[in-house]
Amino acid sequence: MKLYKNMLGAAFSLGVAIAPGLANAQFGDFVVDEGSVPDTSPNTFTADKVNGSYLEQLTINADSTFSAVGYATFSAFLSNEGSLVVPSQINNLEPAGYLLRASFESTGSFDPVAGTFTGGEATFNLFADPNQDSEITFGATAADAFSISNTGDNYGIGFATNAITLEGIPGVPGAFNFIWDDFTLTADGQNYFISPDPFYVQLQANGDFDVDTFGPGTFEVTGDVSAVFDVEPIPEPASMALLGLGLLGFRATRRRTVRA
């Protein structure tokens, strides 16, 4: 579906930028009004983190370029710096439940000798699926068009386009850490995330991926992902080396100067 691919494109592709240690998560409290989602029960709560999982399709081509597309589903809100589960309606059985999801895609180049990925843009798009029935169907390769079914009830919550930090650590599973400094709520998103107002501009997404070896061909990558918000962007690491470790390997196309 071209419309959904354009609207919900991108955000976690391959590789992982290695820095001198991952930046600590900034657990900014936020207030969610789940009653703003159609057919849900009134429920307002404070949280500081949201957790979930993702499925990604990766294609590494013979010319060492790669494409990646995928889909994330968030399954729990947490509080107390991400340590306590907050009762909510995401993933509840209908009619009261709904799903909170993200869609992503990326392209770039792969160095088979160094085992590194060089990505392009990193863009995050968050949306609600009130009927809990949307599914992604991949094409023959990640470069082919994908489709998302049953989207008539879906609507955007927020998006970010400017990634300022791309880092991770090797391992099985590997870990990743992405930070954007321009998270923006849609009009519907302002009814969902009702505090703070204005909302946080920094979005930090991190987690793990369940594949540690890559080569030519098309295959799937799965893993866990969490997201937190804050006001001030975390300074970008002074140096980053890209390692081909799986989901998320972007090299920033430009560096930003941020206030410490």
Side-chain angles (χ1 to χ4, degrees), residues 207-232:
D208 62 42
F209 43 88
D210 299 330
V211 176
D212 60 357
T213 302
F214 295 94
T218 296
F219 50 95
E220 293 184 352
V221 178
T222 60
D224 300 319
V225 61
S226 64
V228 295
F229 302 95
D230 197 19
V231 177
E232 292 295 332

Side-chain angles (χ1 to χ4, degrees), residues 83-181:
S83 64
L84 300 176
V85 174
V86 177
S88 71
Q89 299 173 71
I90 53 175
N91 296 333
N92 280 0
L93 296 176
E94 292 186 281
Y98 67 100
L99 292 177
L100 189 63
R101 286 177 155 161
S103 178
F104 52 89
E105 60 183 304
S106 180
T107 59
S109 60
F110 174 67
D111 184 338
V113 176
T116 60
F117 291 85
T118 301
E121 297 179 352
T123 305
F124 181 90
N125 290 274
L126 186 68
F127 66 99
D129 178 6
N131 290 345
Q132 307 182 71
D133 58 355
S134 293
E135 296 182 359
I136 189 169
T137 300
F138 295 126
T141 72
D144 297 319
F146 67 89
S147 62
I148 300 177
S149 63
N150 303 318
T151 60
D153 59 304
N154 295 1
Y155 60 89
I157 295 292
F159 59 91
T161 61
N162 189 62
I164 62 169
T165 296
L166 310 168
E167 59 182 344
I169 55 176
V172 183
F176 63 85
N177 183 54
F178 272 21
I179 300 173
W180 291 264
D181 68 353

